[in-house]
């Protein structure tokens, strides 16, 4: 961390610079043949990353400040094809994650923010139900080592606050070619009290009006309950017809999360339930299974090009959201403990097909500046289930962090 200050008769400026170096390496035990990859696509076997995360904050006036966060990311990914061939890709890029100019009134009842900002309306949960801005870069699962998932949106944001009430309005650009719109708008009304609540309106031209709401209740000093729900016009995933062609549906879809957390001295235990109308129903899933079998048989025929196109589109669709209509997430952790060791273990269960995603994290705190983490993931289920058809069967990752 670097802190600098300067002053004159008119200006008092303070600069705060924080940097973090991230180094990680991941090894994957993969399935060469899956339901949506009958050996035609190369699969990732190893991924290595070194990234420098830079966070700068400049206070030029008691009411005016500027902040930016950018990262230099170097990556190497190794792939293995079904035929036994190996390939690798390297990438070196600079990513602007956040950058904003901010003004607030004397008592912070009004605030104006302009720049690249990442609002997080769903916080601390496995499924971010209320993050309605598009594109949602944290799907299908949030990865804390993937800095690109933390990139914000270019927007103008105005906030008002009066006593326990707050109102936030924003207009943001749209940088996803999937949508024809150039901008999106949102309003968020919030209230803090014995029951914290919020109501969100989101408008995307060409898609329509979307809504979100949340309630957070402190049951006791050790337990809390949170309910989040969103209604989105457009479905997370495209629908496939009998010929394997895709179309985006916009009939309106509900997603609801109920989360409960209980805290001990240093341990937190959390349970979440997700109801998700975006997921394919039983008949749609059966049709997708039949299409996969049909196009797999055509790979050696004159219609092979159509088969490749189908499997490419279905793999892209699977990365857009959750496959479970009813999902369950259980987790316990002692990451609030400031000791040397920290532990987190979780399981995500698709209650429709019985498949499971297990994750174990063991953290080490060597000093205030140096941290490390070992993460293990494994996926179970039959070949037609959400986690059984993933290309990865087991992943192991080692990460090292240096903050300065």
């Amino acid at each position: 961390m670097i802190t600098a200050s300067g002053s004159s008769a008119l200006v008092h400026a303070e600069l705060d610079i924080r940097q973090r170096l991230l180094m990680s390496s991941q090894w994957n035990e993969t399935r060469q043949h899956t339901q949506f990859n009958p050996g035609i696509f190369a699969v990732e076997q190893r991924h290595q990353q070194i990234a420098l995360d830079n966070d700068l904050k400049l206070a030029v006036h008691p009411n005016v400040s500027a902040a930016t966060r950018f990262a230099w990311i170097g990556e190497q990914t190794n792939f293995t094809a079904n035929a036994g061939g190996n390939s690798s890709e390297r990438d070196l890029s600079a990513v602007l994650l956040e950058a904003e100019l901010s003004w607030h009134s004397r008592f912070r009842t009004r605030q104006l923010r302009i720049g690249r900002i990442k609002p997080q309306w769903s916080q601390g949960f496995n499924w971010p139900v209320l993050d309605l801005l598009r594109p949602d870069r944290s799907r299908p699962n949030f990865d804390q080592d993937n800095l690109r998932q933390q990139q914000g949106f270019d927007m103008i944001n105005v906030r008002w606050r009066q006593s326990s009430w707050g109102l936030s309005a924003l207009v943001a650009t749209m940088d996803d070619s999937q949508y024809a719109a150039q901008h999106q708008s949102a309003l968020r009304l919030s209230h803090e009290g014995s029951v914290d609540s919020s109501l969100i309106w989101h408008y995307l031209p060409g898609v329509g009006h979307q809504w979100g709401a949340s309630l957070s209740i402190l049951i006791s000093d050790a337990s809390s309950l949170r309910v989040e729900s969103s209604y989105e016009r457009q479905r997370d995933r495209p629908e496939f017809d009998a010929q394997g062609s895709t179309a985006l549906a916009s009939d309106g879809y509900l997603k609801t999360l109920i989360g409960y957390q209980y805290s001990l001295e240093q341990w937190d235990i959390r349970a979440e339930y997700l109801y998700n109308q975006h997921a394919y129903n039983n008949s749609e899933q059966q049709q997708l299974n039949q299409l996969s079998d049909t196009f797999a048989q055509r790979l050696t025929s004159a219609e092979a090009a159509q088969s490749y196109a189908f499997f490419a589109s279905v793999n892209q669709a699977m990365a857009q959201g959750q496959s479970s209509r009813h999902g369950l997430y259980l987790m316990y952790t002692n990451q609030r403990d400031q000791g040397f060791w920290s532990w987190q273990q979780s399981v995500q269960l698709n209650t429709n097909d019985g498949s499971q995603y297990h994750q174990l994290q063991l953290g080490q705190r060597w000093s205030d500046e140096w941290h490390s983490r070992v993460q293990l993931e494994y996926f179970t289920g039959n070949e037609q289930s959400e986690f059984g058809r993933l290309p990865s069967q087991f992943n192991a990752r080692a990460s090292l962090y240096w903050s300065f």
Side-chain angles (χ1 to χ4, degrees):
M1 179 185 72
I2 301 175
T3 303
S5 63
S7 62
S8 66
L10 298 176
V11 178
H12 177 79
E14 293 185 356
L15 176 63
D16 185 12
I17 303 176
R18 299 173 185 266
Q19 295 175 290
R20 188 181 71 151
L21 183 67
L22 160 64
M23 294 170 284
S24 66
S25 185
Q26 178 168 311
W27 300 264
N28 303 332
E29 181 180 325
T30 59
R31 307 177 176 103
Q32 294 297 324
H33 287 267
T34 64
Q35 181 184 21
F36 299 141
N37 180 19
I40 59 177
F41 302 121
V43 294
E44 181 180 312
Q45 290 282 0
R46 187 175 182 182
H47 180 264
Q48 296 172 293
Q49 175 185 233
I50 180 169
L52 182 61
D53 188 0
N54 307 273
D55 194 346
L56 289 76
K57 296 181 180 179
L58 176 64
V60 298
H61 185 274
N63 302 84
V64 180
S65 62
T68 183
R69 184 184 175 201
F70 62 94
W72 288 297
I73 305 174
E75 298 172 287
Q76 176 171 304
T77 307
N78 299 93
F79 300 90
T80 299
N82 184 49
N86 297 320
S87 62
S88 63
E89 293 180 358
R90 293 182 179 179
D91 180 71
L92 179 62
S93 57
V95 182
L96 181 62
L97 301 175
E98 296 179 88
E100 68 169 280
L101 179 64
S102 174
W103 169 88
H104 62 80
S105 62
R106 181 181 177 184
F107 298 106
R108 297 183 180 271
T109 56
R110 292 166 293 164
Q111 184 181 28
L112 172 65
R113 306 168 72 197
I114 302 175
R116 180 164 295 182
I117 305 165
K118 184 174 177 59
Q120 292 180 300
W121 297 325
S122 285
Q123 296 190 26
F125 287 91
N126 184 59
W127 292 291
V129 171
L130 294 183
D131 290 347
L132 298 177
L133 294 182
R134 293 293 177 265
D136 188 343
R137 298 183 176 91
S138 62
R139 297 183 179 184
N141 290 292
F142 177 74
D143 183 351
Q144 61 181 305
D145 289 339
N146 185 352
L147 295 179
R148 290 185 176 87
Q149 289 189 342
Q150 302 175 38
Q151 182 175 335
F153 302 85
D154 297 335
M155 68 171 66
I156 298 175
N157 180 209
V158 182
R159 294 180 175 181
W160 297 269
R161 187 163 192 85
Q162 184 65 40
S163 184
S164 59
W165 290 90
L167 179 65
S168 176
L170 65 86
V171 177
T173 60
M174 169 63 69
D175 60 357
D176 191 337
S177 59
Q178 176 183 341
Y179 303 94
Q182 300 297 316
H183 299 87
Q184 53 189 324
S185 307
L187 286 172
R188 181 177 185 267
L189 177 66
S190 61
H191 179 265
E192 295 180 356
S194 57
V195 177
D196 294 341
S197 59
S198 70
L199 179 64
I200 299 171
W201 166 83
H202 175 246
Y203 178 68
L204 187 58
V207 175
H209 302 275
Q210 307 186 118
W211 301 89
S214 70
L215 292 174
S216 182
I217 306 170
L218 186 63
I219 300 175
S220 67
D221 291 340
S223 61
S224 61
L225 177 70
R226 187 173 177 89
V227 179
E228 297 184 346
S229 186
S230 64
Y231 177 80
E232 300 174 74
R233 295 299 310 177
Q234 186 165 293
R235 199 173 190 178
D236 281 348
R237 294 178 169 180
E239 297 179 351
F240 291 82
D241 61 20
Q243 287 71 43
S245 300
T246 61
L248 291 175
S250 55
D251 297 331
Y253 300 89
L254 185 68
K255 190 182 292 184
T256 299
L257 179 143
I258 302 174
Y260 175 80
Q261 179 166 310
Y262 185 81
S263 299
L264 303 172
E265 289 186 2
Q266 297 296 340
W267 291 86
D268 294 322
I269 303 171
R270 186 189 306 157
E272 301 176 27
Y273 165 75
L274 175 71
Y275 172 69
N276 177 30
Q277 285 187 340
H278 295 261
Y280 296 136
N281 57 37
N282 291 334
S283 61
E284 290 173 317
Q285 187 61 56
Q286 291 175 3
Q287 183 185 45
L288 201 56
N289 295 340
Q290 295 172 358
L291 287 171
S292 300
D293 294 338
T294 300
F295 281 106
Q297 296 170 4
R298 296 178 183 175
L299 284 170
T300 56
S301 69
E303 299 175 315
Q306 296 178 358
S307 295
Y308 276 87
F310 167 77
F311 285 114
S313 62
V314 75
N315 277 282
Q316 183 179 8
M318 290 299 109
Q320 298 305 311
Q322 290 75 38
S323 295
S324 57
R325 182 151 291 224
H326 301 276
L328 186 64
Y329 176 78
L330 303 173
M331 184 272 288
Y332 66 93
T333 180
N334 70 334
Q335 289 188 345
R336 289 189 294 109
D337 190 348
Q338 295 300 309
F340 179 77
W341 296 103
S342 65
W343 175 261
Q344 178 173 308
Q345 184 171 351
S346 64
V347 57
Q348 182 175 320
L349 172 67
N350 183 325
T351 60
N352 298 99
D353 58 33
S355 62
Q356 300 178 20
Y357 163 32
H358 295 263
Q359 185 183 88
L360 301 92
Q361 297 183 29
L362 179 63
Q364 303 83 33
R365 182 186 178 92
W366 304 96
S367 67
D368 290 341
E369 296 80 19
W370 288 93
H371 299 223
S372 59
R373 182 170 58 92
V374 176
Q375 175 177 295
L376 304 177
E377 300 176 319
Y378 62 97
F379 308 86
T380 64
N382 61 55
E383 62 179 9
Q384 294 184 346
S385 64
E386 177 181 10
F387 300 116
R389 60 183 172 224
L390 291 178
S392 292
Q393 186 171 2
F394 176 82
N395 301 332
R397 180 190 300 178
S399 302
L400 180 64
Y401 310 94
W402 177 33
S403 301
F404 56 97

